[in-house]
Structures are given as structure tokens and as C-alpha cells.
Amino acid sequence: MAEKPQVRGDAPPTPEETERDGRDDTATSAAEESSEVGFGKGGRRTGTSADALPDVDGLGDDAPPFWRRIAAERWGEGRFGLAMGGIILLLGIALTAFQLWIALRSGLDARQQRLMHLMLVMLMVFIIMPPFKKSTVEGNPVAYVAGAVLDLVMVVATVVVSFYPIVYQAELARRAGAYTDLDWIMGLVAIVVLLEATRRSVGLIMVLLVAAFIYYAWVGPLIPGDFGHSGVTIQRISTHAYLGNDGIYGLTLGVVVTFVFVFILFGALLSKTGGGNFFVGLAYVLTGRMVGGPAKGAVLGSALMGSVSGSAIANVVTTGPFTIPLMKKVGYKKHDAAGVEAAASTGGQVLPPIMGAGAFLMAERLGIPYADIVKVAIIPAIMYFALMFLFVDILARKNNIRPMEGDEIPTFAIVMRAGWHFMAPLVLLIVLLLNYVPPTQAGLAACGALLVVAMLRASSRLSLKDFLEVFVMAARSTLPVSVACAVAGIIVGMVGLTGLGLVFSDVLVNAFAGNLFMTLVMVALASLILGIGLPVTASYVVLVILAGPALEQLGLALIVAHMIVYWLSQDSNVTPPVAFAAFAAAGIANSSPMRSGVSSWKFAKGLYLIPLLMAYSALMEVDGPVIDLVMAIATGSVALAAGAMAIEGFFLRRTLLGERIALGLSAALVLIAPEWSGWTESLLSVQVSPDWFIGAGTVAGIVLITLQVVNHRRDKAKGLVAPLGQEQPKAGQTVGTAPEESSKDVESSKDAEAAETTESTKA
């Protein structure tokens, strides 16, 4: 559930390092890829059946420990770097052990848990993540010393502001509402320290956004119109954010401490034991021989991994080193390979059983069991990945990309024999969650089951060093999540102090005269803007407190409104100019970050289209009439397919302009059918049921798709379509005709033969 890539030995280069100077972004040569990419190829060998699986980790047996690698990236390979690696190891063990202790047997209240958790997290942030860019420090001793002093000050301040509320808990409770100068000064220091940790782990834009909310709370009387308010003093802002129930240590951070970390630990265990290798291998066995097999394998593999890791970027840097080179090897362009991986990994955050951190926040804010979130989320998530399958299928046919050969992937039996035991913990987790077992207990049970089955087989057995790496990997992965949730608590507190949420919702509803579609468009645009600089969890929190009430006022059920906002907030991973997951994938693919971002944004269109089905159809009504749910799935699937063909301009063959417009219109008729009814009544004073528009759009979509299939079969019967992987004939040619030959050449050759026959007859 991390919002930034894990720092690891095989971490992708930065976007700047992957830029190419105007070079065409096409697939690299087979010689560059074929020798190192494939099943059973990689640095790690176990001498067991697991060697047939892909090595998605990519690290050899002689790789240094994880804590040494992340320490070396900042502190170097020398003795000092070794010492800092030891400190990182101790902090990682302390954080993971503390989380396990409070999950199994907690003697601390909720606030003390959050204080200790965030203290350990920020200490790791200040040790692992540098205060300045590497280029600024290199060759500049002043910047190096300044950075070291800043780190030391931040570490000391973190410890002081974390223990102050614990040591003086009774006194602070007695003087609540009448805090002393020391109280608000400590709060101000805590805010500054947290903002610095946010700058390093999340980004500067998040810091500026929080500062803007604090400034808004302070200068309220100077703001005219509806958004003006009575104003809040610095003392009140400081104590509310530091000591209040809706501030830094509020519910947003509490969800990470209570639920999220256990599942981060499960993901780290799965990665270290080789479960990721198994799930990716299984995905390729099931899809490798299909059209666009490597891309479909990447989609399914990223879905399987993302469903249990809940992090788009961690998913990219885990599975991408295997999936992206395979896609490039069979002919996908570099930016398309990166885009497919980024969009598929992003989908993992909406796919149960483990979704992103925002899903646990949603359950807590709505006050409903997490199992209910899972039940309503599963169908839209499956539709998202089905749409991605269609996109990569179209792309493969459009670019004439061959499927994988039979000898390039192992058999189903071999893959299952190597990793069947990894299925048991996942099945256990799903069963427990759907039976309303609390997520923390379900996650702990899944971790225990995974550990047991892993230790029973030599290929997945963990050594002491492996256990320590799991602890540090889990701790490292939670850093940006915890910091983002803590700093988002400040925004929640400022919105509560100023009443901004209600004002914003009223303005949003009144601005569009209660039109749901335009309100959804504005929420999507707001998500797009926030996604430029915010991780998905922070984006969800900000959007839901501002726009959630507006969507509820317009008639959406509360869980539907939250789910729509949650889906829209995922676009920060795939939206240029700052697309975190796409940039991570671009580093692996050696492609242009911006072109990769555009590709991922195109492939992830389900993030925008499926929320329309949530708002206007019965897609979320899993407890309602079955026939309504089935019709919503069927008609919605046709609309999504038509929309994908309209976007790509291709299916089995290239679509004409008229076909493309008709496909787009048929999709729109289904996706926003109630809006068409409203427009018809307003313009023509005729009442038409939305069901008629849904029926018309569905029928039109089916007819247009059927025509594509019929025309493709006709062209194939005439020899106008070559098998995938072979060069397609040009206009007027048939399969097997030389490229330079045209129909005129054929006719002239026939005339020449006739002339020769005539001359020979005369002779």
C-alpha cells in the first residue's frame, strides 16, 4: 500500500534518467531481451521446481540484505553506511514488532499507538530519505553538513513531540480547551516536522496543499463570499492538529496503525517467500498463448499481486522487471508495455481482498465492516480488468503482435507443482474477510498460514536473514502511507474547524443546479488536479471530505459516493504530468515517462467510465434484485467494450470514422442513461424512461461489434488477413503476395504471359 516505489536494489531509475533524446520509442531488439527474459531465468536458484517460475525479484543469492541496500543508496558502502544500515534494521524490527504486538495484545490506547507508530515511521524517513537532491550534495560539503544537521534536528524533534503527549497525557486531558503556550508550541513543531517528513516521502505538492488549508483557516475573515469564515488562531490550529481527535493522530492515521500494516506485512512475506513468482507465472500460463498473451499475463499477474499488496507502485517495481521485458520481446512498444503494467498495477488497488489503504479508511468512515466494502467492490474491479484485457487484445491486433510460443512458458502442472501452497493463505484470507472476521485478525491469520506453508517447502523456506528482510521491507513500505495519512489528518482537521466541507458541497451542488453528471465531471477534474501531486490515499481523503456530501445530496448512497471518489482518486498513478506508477514502469522499460504516462492513462480509462455505471446503474446493489444486477453488468460490459473500440479506433480491423462515432454514442447512451432522459424531457418535453436509452445503446453496441466480427471473418476468408506475427497484406493484396506486388502487377504479368503464348502460336 505504499504510495512510492520501494527502495530496493533493483529499483527503477528516475524519470529523468529514462528520458531519451528524441529517439523513437519502439520495442528493443530481441538480442537485448531474449537472453535474460523468460521462465526459469534469473539470478536466484533453489534447486527445486520453483526454478521454473519467473524471477520477478531479479536479485541473485549474493545480493546484500535489504537494509544494506537502502542504506547504501543514501550513505554509501563504507563503514558509516554499514552503521546506518544497522540503525535502519533496528528501526524496521522495532516498527514491525510494535505493530505485531498491538495487533496481538495491545496495552496502549489508540492515541499512544499512533504516536509511537508515527515516531518510528518519521525516524526511518529522516534516516533513509535525504533532505536534498543527490546532485546538490555531491561536491558540496556545506550542503552535506547542512543536511546532516537538519536530519539530527528532525530526529530529536520527532522524539520530543512524540513523547510529550504520552508523558503529560493526564495533564493535557485536564487542561483540554485551555492549553498552555508550551502545548501549542509543541504542536507547531510537530506540524513542521511532519511537513518535512512529507516533503521527503510524499512530495512538495502535498506540503503546499496542507499549508494552503492551514492558511485558509487562519485568514478566514479576509475571504469574501461563501468561503469566508470567522477565522482560527495559530494557537487553535496548532493544538487542534496536534492534540485534537481529527488532527495528525486522528482516524486517518489510526486506520494504517490498526489495519493496513498487517496487510503490508502479508505482501512483504509473499514477496520474500516467492509467492509473487508463482502468481505471475500462473498468470502467464493461463494467458500466454492468447492474443496479446504477454500483456494479458502482465494484467492478470499484476491483478493477482495487487489484490494482496494494495500498492500500485510497489506492484510495478515487483512484477514489472519480468512482465515489461516480455512484452517488449514479442513486439509491444516500450511506452505501451510500461503503460499496460502501470494501469494493471493501479487496478490492484480496487481489487479485493486487499485493496488500497483508502478502502480501510472508507470502512472506518462509513462505520461498516470491511467485508461489505469487498462485496460491492468485486464486480466493478473485475470489469476494470476485463476492459484492460480488451485494450491489450486490441493493441496486439492493431500492431500485429504474436502470442507467446508454446516452448516459452511452462505447463500449468509445472507451475502449480512449484507454488500451489501459496493459494491456501489467499483463500483463507478471502474466506475470513467475507465472513466478517475483523481485518486485523484475518490479516494475521493469513500471515501465519503463509509462514507455515512457506516453511514446509525448501523453495520458499525463510532463513533468519530473510525474516529480518521481511520486517524491514514491511516497515519501509509503510513510510509514505503513514506519513500521507498523518498529514491528511491536518487537512481533515482544518476542514472541520472552518466548515469548508459543507460550504464546498453546497457550492458544487448549486453551481450545476443539482446535475449529477456535471458534478461527477467536476469531481473527476478535481481528482485529476489533486492527482498531480498527491498519493491516492491523501487524494481520496481530501476529495471525500469535500465532495462526498455533495454526491450524497444528489441522491447517491453513501457507500456509492465514497467508492466513486475512491476510484477517481486512483488516477494519480496513471495521470501525466505526474504519474507515479507509470514513471516507475517507464524506468524499467527505458521509455519516455510522459509517453508511458499517456499510455497508462489510456489503458486505465475504466477508472473514469466504471464510476458512471456505479452512479447510474444497479452495479453496486449486490443485495438488491438479481435481475437488476445482471442487467447492469451485461449492458455495462457492452458499453465499456464499445467505448474501448471508440478510443482505440480498432477491434478486429480498423474502424471507420462513422463506426467510431457510433460506438462512442452507444457507450454514452448506456453509461449516463438517466441524463439522456432528463435532456429529452427538457428539450422536447417528452418523458422517456432511461431503460429505453440503455436498450438502444446496448443493441447498437452489439450490432456494431457483430459487424466487426463478420467483416473480419469475410476478409480472413478472402486471404486479406495474415496470422498474428506475420506482416499484414496491404490494400489489394492477399496473404502470401510479395509486398512489392500490386494488383496491377499481377494483371500485367497475366497479359505478358498471354502475349508470349500468342507469339509462340504464330511461330
Side-chain angles (χ1 to χ4, degrees):
M1 299 172 190
E3 311 292 348
K4 287 280 187 180
Q6 299 178 25
V7 179
R8 35 184 282 167
D10 59 343
T14 61
E16 291 80 5
E17 293 171 342
T18 62
E19 283 283 3
R20 295 291 176 256
D21 299 327
R23 207 169 69 182
D24 182 40
D25 191 15
T26 55
T28 53
S29 63
E32 180 184 344
E33 303 290 347
S34 59
S35 60
E36 297 295 334
V37 179
F39 285 80
K41 298 179 180 179
R44 185 169 290 140
R45 290 288 181 270
T46 65
T48 65
S49 59
D51 291 339
L53 298 176
D55 182 11
V56 298
D57 184 81
L59 300 175
D61 293 324
D62 57 347
F66 182 69
W67 60 88
R68 290 277 303 278
R69 299 201 301 270
I70 58 178
E73 289 190 2
R74 180 177 179 190
W75 303 104
E77 301 282 356
R79 292 183 178 179
F80 190 67
L82 184 63
M84 296 308 293
I87 294 176
I88 293 172
L89 172 61
L90 291 176
L91 287 173
I93 293 173
L95 178 56
T96 305
F98 173 73
Q99 286 294 144
L100 289 174
W101 177 64
I102 63 176
L104 293 169
R105 181 187 172 187
S106 174
L108 299 176
D109 63 31
R111 188 169 189 82
Q112 290 175 335
Q113 293 176 14
R114 298 166 192 176
L115 282 161
M116 293 301 298
H117 173 91
L118 188 59
M119 182 188 73
L120 293 171
V121 163
M122 290 200 296
L123 288 177
M124 291 192 72
V125 167
F126 294 131
I127 292 175
I128 293 174
M129 301 176 181
F132 309 121
K133 292 182 179 179
K134 191 174 181 179
S135 58
T136 304
V137 178
E138 286 181 347
N140 189 344
V142 175
Y144 182 84
V145 173
V149 171
L150 179 60
D151 287 337
L152 182 60
V153 170
M154 290 294 112
V155 166
V156 173
T158 297
V159 174
V160 171
V161 299
S162 299
F163 277 106
Y164 182 80
I166 297 176
V167 175
Y168 297 100
Q169 183 175 7
E171 290 87 340
L172 290 170
R174 282 196 298 268
R175 61 175 180 256
Y179 294 113
T180 65
D181 289 343
L182 182 60
D183 295 338
W184 75 262
I185 290 173
M186 293 296 289
L188 200 60
V189 173
I191 292 174
V192 172
V193 171
L194 179 58
L195 290 178
E196 171 61 14
T198 303
R199 183 184 70 85
R200 299 191 191 191
S201 61
V202 180
L204 182 60
I205 293 181
M206 185 70 180
V207 175
L208 297 176
L209 182 66
V210 173
F213 274 90
I214 294 175
Y215 183 72
Y216 171 77
W218 183 46
V219 301
L222 303 179
I223 300 174
D226 294 334
F227 289 97
H229 58 91
S230 59
V232 186
T233 64
I234 291 295
Q235 292 84 347
R236 176 67 172 145
I237 291 172
S238 175
T239 54
H240 186 78
Y242 181 48
L243 302 172
N245 294 325
D246 292 329
I248 296 172
Y249 303 103
L251 176 65
T252 310
L253 177 62
V255 170
V256 180
V257 178
T258 307
F259 303 125
V260 175
F261 190 89
V262 173
F263 294 99
I264 292 177
L265 179 62
F266 181 76
L269 269 173
L270 192 69
S271 175
K272 197 62 187 174
T273 55
N277 297 349
F278 166 69
F279 285 121
V280 173
L282 181 62
Y284 273 88
V285 167
L286 296 176
T287 64
R289 295 175 177 84
M290 299 180 182
V291 175
K296 288 178 180 175
V299 171
L300 185 56
S302 296
L304 292 172
M305 280 297 295
S307 67
V308 292
S309 73
S311 170
I313 302 172
N315 197 352
V316 167
V317 299
T318 301
T319 62
F322 178 80
T323 61
I324 290 175
L326 269 181
M327 284 188 276
K328 291 163 61 180
K329 179 181 176 182
V330 298
Y332 282 93
K333 295 180 180 179
K334 291 189 288 187
H335 63 273
D336 284 333
V340 168
E341 176 60 39
S345 296
T346 299
Q349 294 205 155
V350 300
L351 180 65
I354 306 174
M355 302 161 69
F360 294 94
L361 280 169
M362 190 190 310
E364 286 296 298
R365 293 185 69 89
L366 294 175
I368 62 176
Y370 181 72
D372 290 345
I373 301 293
V374 170
K375 288 179 180 178
V376 299
I378 184 66
I379 294 175
I382 292 174
M383 293 178 73
Y384 175 89
F385 283 103
L387 182 61
M388 274 217 65
F389 258 67
L390 180 59
F391 264 118
V392 298
D393 187 277
I394 292 173
L395 190 65
R397 297 179 187 278
K398 191 175 183 179
N399 296 322
N400 199 33
I401 297 172
R402 68 172 178 86
M404 296 178 70
E405 301 293 340
D407 58 351
E408 292 181 306
I409 51 179
T411 63
F412 179 78
I414 291 175
V415 171
M416 289 302 296
R417 184 165 64 248
W420 62 269
H421 56 297
F422 291 115
M423 297 295 292
L426 185 59
V427 172
L428 175 65
L429 178 62
I430 295 172
V431 171
L432 292 177
L433 287 175
L434 292 181
N435 282 277
Y436 293 93
V437 174
T440 303
Q441 297 180 20
L444 286 173
C447 288
L450 176 58
L451 192 58
V452 169
V453 299
M455 297 302 287
L456 292 177
R457 301 193 67 179
S459 60
S460 55
R461 194 168 297 144
L462 299 179
S463 64
L464 176 60
K465 188 190 93 168
D466 293 330
F467 272 108
L468 297 179
E469 285 205 71
V470 168
F471 274 41
V472 179
M473 288 169 64
R476 172 62 184 85
S477 295
T478 199
L479 299 186
V481 185
S482 297
V483 171
C485 287
V487 81
I490 299 178
I491 297 177
V492 174
M494 295 306 102
V495 170
L497 277 177
T498 60
L500 177 61
L502 295 176
V503 174
F504 185 84
S505 296
D506 289 338
V507 170
L508 198 61
V509 171
N510 294 329
F512 300 106
N515 184 273
L516 178 58
F517 177 68
M518 292 306 301
T519 304
L520 288 172
V521 171
M522 288 306 300
V523 173
L525 290 175
S527 172
L528 194 65
I529 295 170
L530 287 174
I532 291 175
L534 300 190
V536 293
T537 304
S539 181
Y540 162 71
V541 171
V542 174
L543 271 176
V544 83
I545 63 174
L546 293 177
L551 296 176
E552 189 180 4
Q553 287 183 46
L554 293 173
L556 294 183
L558 198 54
I559 189 172
V560 175
H562 275 252
M563 190 63 74
I564 288 173
V565 173
Y566 179 70
W567 270 64
L568 293 175
S569 66
Q570 305 301 319
D571 62 359
S572 62
N573 284 315
V574 293
T575 305
V578 182
F580 297 120
F583 286 178
I588 299 170
N590 288 326
S591 64
S592 163
M594 285 303 166
R595 293 191 71 181
S596 301
V598 172
S599 291
S600 65
W601 186 57
K602 178 178 66 173
F603 297 138
K605 277 296 182 288
L607 292 178
Y608 302 97
L609 299 179
I610 294 176
L612 294 175
L613 291 174
M614 296 180 189
Y616 290 111
S617 73
L619 193 64
M620 302 282 286
E621 299 176 9
V622 293
D623 294 327
V626 176
I627 186 63
D628 291 346
L629 180 61
V630 171
M631 289 300 297
I633 296 172
T635 57
S637 299
V638 173
L640 293 175
M645 296 173 200
I647 291 170
E648 280 292 340
F650 200 94
F651 177 37
L652 299 175
R653 61 179 182 84
R654 190 170 301 280
T655 59
L656 303 175
L657 178 61
E659 287 181 295
R660 201 166 181 176
I661 294 173
L663 285 166
L665 180 60
S666 65
L669 287 172
V670 177
L671 293 174
I672 55 172
E675 295 294 339
W676 289 97
S677 295
W679 295 334
T680 304
E681 186 174 358
S682 299
L683 297 176
L684 304 177
S685 299
V686 177
Q687 291 185 348
V688 181
S689 172
D691 293 338
W692 286 102
F693 290 102
I694 294 174
T698 304
V699 171
I702 292 174
V703 169
L704 291 167
I705 295 171
T706 303
L707 287 175
Q708 275 270 329
V709 174
V710 170
N711 289 330
H712 173 73
R713 289 187 174 181
R714 181 197 62 192
D715 293 342
K716 193 172 183 179
K718 292 181 178 180
L720 301 177
V721 179
L724 289 175
Q726 299 180 16
E727 185 176 355
Q728 295 290 346
K730 297 180 181 179
Q733 296 178 8
T734 58
V735 177
T737 305
E740 64 273 7
E741 283 188 350
S742 63
S743 56
K744 289 185 178 180
D745 295 331
V746 175
E747 292 178 359
S748 61
S749 63
K750 289 181 179 179
D751 293 339
E753 290 177 3
E756 289 178 2
T757 303
T758 304
E759 288 180 1
S760 61
T761 302
K762 290 181 179 179

